[in-house]
Amino acid sequence: MKTTKPKDIKKDWHLIDAKNQILGRISTKVAHLLMGKNKPYYTPLLDCGDYVVVINAKNVALSGKKETQKLYYRYSGYPGGLRSRTTQRVRETKPEEIIRHAVVGMLPKNKMGKLMVKKLYIYPDSQNPHLAKFISKSN
């Protein structure tokens, strides 16, 4: 059995359009691509994952009443420092944080997870600086 070496790993770029797609479905797809679980030579000890660009993050769909009832918490570490915001408020200010929060929760909570998150690029609209990578790939 051949083991995977870091020089054997090939990194690809994936473009995912989040427009009118369910948050959980997109997040699992993105997490699998970042971890590299879609590759035949996946090894948990190595960073086998690809680069992922998510566009139209402000148009991601949520099921049920999550738009008004789901809360995102932040704690400063001081007494009385717990802050919460609804999904609706987060979508108005930083819509890319909705997808980032969901994906980070699905990645490993160690050094590898931090490396994987660095390969995730999320944009609220369809405009992004990585567009040239996908145009040259399709031609």
Side-chain angles (χ1 to χ4, degrees), residues 47-123:
D47 186 13
C48 300
D50 296 332
Y51 292 91
V52 179
V53 178
V54 180
I55 58 172
N56 293 321
K58 68 179 181 182
N59 297 328
V60 71
L62 295 169
S63 59
K65 299 180 183 178
K66 291 187 187 102
E67 192 73 32
T68 55
Q69 292 180 351
K70 181 177 173 61
L71 295 174
Y72 290 89
Y73 294 101
R74 230 177 46 227
Y75 183 56
S76 68
Y78 290 97
L82 182 65
R83 304 281 186 253
S84 62
R85 296 187 300 173
T86 62
T87 306
Q88 195 172 30
R89 183 75 189 271
V90 174
R91 192 185 297 267
E92 292 168 3
T93 55
K94 290 184 95 178
E96 57 272 6
E97 285 303 312
I98 296 172
I99 295 176
R100 186 175 309 280
H101 185 270
V103 171
V104 167
M106 296 177 187
L107 294 176
K109 314 304 189 268
N110 55 23
K111 292 177 187 175
M112 291 300 294
K114 290 176 185 172
L115 287 174
M116 293 172 189
V117 171
K118 289 180 183 177
K119 296 184 298 184
L120 175 63
Y121 301 95
I122 305 172
Y123 299 99

